[in-house]
Each structure stands twice: as C-alpha cells, then as structure tokens.
Amino acid sequence: MKAATFGQVTVAALTASLLAACGGSDNNDDSVSQTATFNLGISDAPIDAAEAVVVCFNAVELTGQGQPIQYEVGVDVEVPAENDLCRDSNGDVIANTIGIDLLQFTGSEQTQFLQDATIAAGNYGQLRLVMGEGSYASVDLDGEGTTTDVPVSVPSNELKLDGFTADAGGNLNYTAEFDLRQGMTNPVGQEGFILKPRGVRLVDNSSVGHLQGSVSEELLLNETSCEVAPADLTTPVAYIYLYEGVGYELSALADIGGSEEQQPYASTAVYFDGASSYDYELGFVSAGEYTAALTCNGNDDSETDDDISFLHSVDVTIEESNQPQTVDFEPVTTQ
C-alpha cells in the first residue's frame, strides 16, 4: 500500500468503491420473480497522502419501495459483524459500527459489506451509506515519519448516492466509487477532514473496467517538474487524471475544482517501484471512451482552481472486464 508525507494536497488520489448486486434474469418462477439478490462490497485505489483511511459504517439504506430498507451493522446478518476500529473520544468502541481501512482494498480488490440480501423488485430512489462516528485518516503531518490520526466527518452522517432498478429475479451489480481527491477536504480553521458526497458516484458494475499502467522514465526525465527514482517509495512522482471523452487539447483539461471545460472523472498517483517502473491503477471505471492525462503537479486543492500543467495525454477505451487493461505513457515520437 502506498502512503506519503502529508503536504498541501488534502487527500490525494483515493478511489473507494462499494459493490451492490443486481441485474437481469430469465427466471420465470413466480415464487422468486418479485425479488432480487443484493450484495455490497468495498474497494479503493491507492492513496498518496495517508497511511490509513478508516471509514466507519453503521448501515446501508435503500429508498423508493415504501419505507426505507436498512441493514444495520451488528443487527442484520447480511452485514459483517462490528469491529473495534471505531472509537469515541474516550477510546471506547462504538457499538453497531464497522471500521474499514480503505487502503487495504485497492484496485479491483474488495471486502464484502452486504451479502445475500433479498430486496423487492422495483425502482430504488437512492442508496444511502449511513456512517458511524469515529472515522479517521492517519497522516504524517510534519514529514518526520510519525503519523497522527485526524478525524474524518461526513455531513449529516450519510452519503446519498443515485438510485437503481432491481429486476425481478435479478442479480444487480453496482459500484459506489469514492474519489477522495474530489470529495475529501480540509477546511481552513477546522480540525480534520470532511468527506462530501460529490466525490462518490454509483456505477453499474456490469459495465465497468479497470485501468493500470506505467509511465516511461524517459518521459518523466524530459520534464523538470517530475521527480525520478525517489528514495522514499511512498512519494508520488506523477498523477494520472481521467476525463470522459477523447480528442481534448491539454489546455481544456481542468484540475479538481478547476474552471476549464473538461472536469476530471477520476485521478490517481504514480509511484516508483524501487527498480525501474513507475506504476498507477484506477479501478471501477464505467466502460466508455476517456482521455488519460499525465501531470507532475501534486498540489491540487479540490476547493480551488489550481495551476496544473498536463504534460501528455492518451485516448483510452475502457472495456467491460474484471481484468485490468494496461495503458502506458511513453514519449511521443515524431517522424
């Protein structure tokens, strides 16, 4: 797992994903045709500004079929048992809460959060993640190698995501993807981080893919803003930003919170492997055409329009697959 000294970037390049199960079926058995099976897992992509991000979950709630349906930690068998990662200010374990360190489940990996839940077929207006108290990020505030646990809070203790349709007899797949570079902020004058729902999106897991690749050292050496072969392998050397659509000029690509026309879909950090490779990964990306852009500027505050200079871009077609596809960044050659 990658981690790095905490600098001006609030929390950089984390994507966390939650899987739900839903989908179509040809089952004509009337005894099961009015229900669907629902499963939920959690996953993320590497982060470059923390050694741990423990998010405390209390329940999953579905709305749109009469009264909200809620599956609570420590109460319902469909969710995992509570653990001792979430504690109050006195150090006591918070009941009915499970803490999940998102950095333990990167890329296409996940941990099961809701399993074999039977839900009524129909339209659901929202999927809500009900958060418990005690969430925190472990960061190196002074760059001396000692981490401090900084509280993470969620407005109203709920993350409200988009809805979905559960087909009769079906088995649906969705991913709620957390991009903390967009959703987590550290307001001036306020202790700790705030996790906002704008950095979370719900995507159909039957139509997503995963992206990985490397950046050529030669390409990095051509740019004075890039660091090559750092001694500290937890230090990002560059960043990959992903934009929906292709054929964009680099000048049209916005940073997170930027004013340019094309807003980023997701982003992640590039790390040196200690030998010869500079690698990145992005999980749970909706299938489609994208522009992947490279920058060595890491100071991207999600609340401001920062001066981010993109060095190179590649057009990418993300295909539906459980296996990551590889897209590498190489120097542009001219004939």
Side-chain angles (χ1 to χ4, degrees):
M1 179 52 54
K2 307 291 189 181
T5 299
F6 185 80
Q8 293 181 351
V9 181
T10 301
V11 171
L14 170 67
T15 309
S17 305
L18 297 110
L19 259 66
C22 311
S25 172
D26 294 329
N27 193 330
N28 293 319
D29 185 345
D30 291 339
S31 66
V32 298
S33 63
Q34 299 308 308
T35 63
T37 303
F38 192 89
N39 300 283
L40 185 68
I42 294 178
S43 173
D44 84 304
I47 188 171
D48 63 310
E51 293 189 7
V53 176
V54 174
V55 178
C56 298
F57 297 92
N58 174 252
V60 177
E61 186 173 272
L62 306 177
T63 69
Q65 292 291 305
Q67 291 296 318
I69 305 168
Q70 188 173 91
Y71 298 92
E72 185 177 0
V73 173
V75 175
D76 296 298
V77 297
E78 292 86 354
V79 291
E82 54 197 329
N83 61 20
D84 61 359
L85 292 182
C86 303
R87 297 175 179 269
D88 61 21
S89 58
N90 296 321
D92 297 325
V93 174
I94 300 173
N96 302 112
T97 302
I98 182 171
I100 298 177
D101 183 358
L102 300 177
L103 303 192
Q104 298 300 313
F105 305 98
T106 63
S108 58
E109 297 178 358
Q110 62 165 311
T111 181
Q112 201 70 22
F113 187 63
L114 183 66
Q115 187 169 11
D116 296 333
T118 299
I119 63 174
N123 296 319
Y124 289 83
Q126 288 183 334
L127 184 151
R128 299 175 180 175
L129 302 175
V130 183
M131 317 304 293
E133 300 295 329
S135 297
Y136 65 89
S138 296
V139 295
D140 182 358
L141 296 174
D142 56 14
E144 298 298 325
T146 301
T147 60
T148 301
D149 289 345
V150 180
V152 175
S153 61
V154 175
S156 302
N157 283 335
E158 278 192 338
L159 293 173
K160 299 178 180 179
L161 310 184
D162 293 338
F164 59 90
T165 298
D167 296 335
N171 187 27
L172 301 158
N173 277 300
Y174 281 82
T175 296
E177 183 177 277
F178 284 62
D179 186 343
L180 297 192
R181 296 194 83 201
Q182 298 190 53
M184 185 172 278
T185 63
N186 184 207
V188 176
Q190 181 170 320
E191 180 185 5
F193 301 115
I194 295 177
L195 176 57
K196 299 181 178 181
R198 68 183 181 193
V200 189
R201 61 183 180 274
L202 192 66
V203 296
D204 185 346
N205 198 56
S206 67
S207 60
V208 299
H210 310 283
L211 185 65
Q212 66 180 16
S214 62
V215 178
S216 165
E217 185 173 75
E218 180 182 352
L219 184 58
L220 296 174
L221 286 170
N222 289 337
E223 302 294 336
T224 58
S225 61
C226 302
E227 181 177 6
V228 175
D232 182 358
L233 301 184
T234 66
T235 300
V237 298
Y239 300 85
I240 304 298
Y241 284 64
L242 200 64
Y243 299 84
E244 294 181 276
V246 296
Y248 304 131
E249 296 291 334
L250 294 181
S251 60
L253 305 179
D255 64 299
I256 299 168
S259 59
E260 289 80 4
E261 181 179 357
Q262 302 302 326
Q263 297 296 311
Y265 174 88
S267 63
T268 193
V270 179
Y271 293 96
F272 180 49
D273 70 351
S276 60
S277 186
Y278 299 82
D279 304 317
Y280 74 92
E281 62 176 337
L282 279 167
F284 301 100
V285 178
S286 293
E289 293 187 327
Y290 294 86
T291 296
L294 170 71
T295 180
C296 289
N297 299 130
N299 296 331
D300 190 351
D301 186 337
S302 63
E303 297 294 303
T304 62
D305 186 357
D306 299 299
D307 185 15
I308 300 296
S309 176
F310 291 101
L311 312 174
H312 185 54
S313 68
V314 177
D315 289 345
V316 179
T317 298
I318 301 295
E319 300 177 351
E320 299 174 9
S321 176
N322 291 327
Q323 299 300 316
Q325 62 190 81
T326 299
V327 174
D328 297 328
F329 284 76
E330 302 287 347
V332 178
T333 58
T334 57
Q335 299 295 330

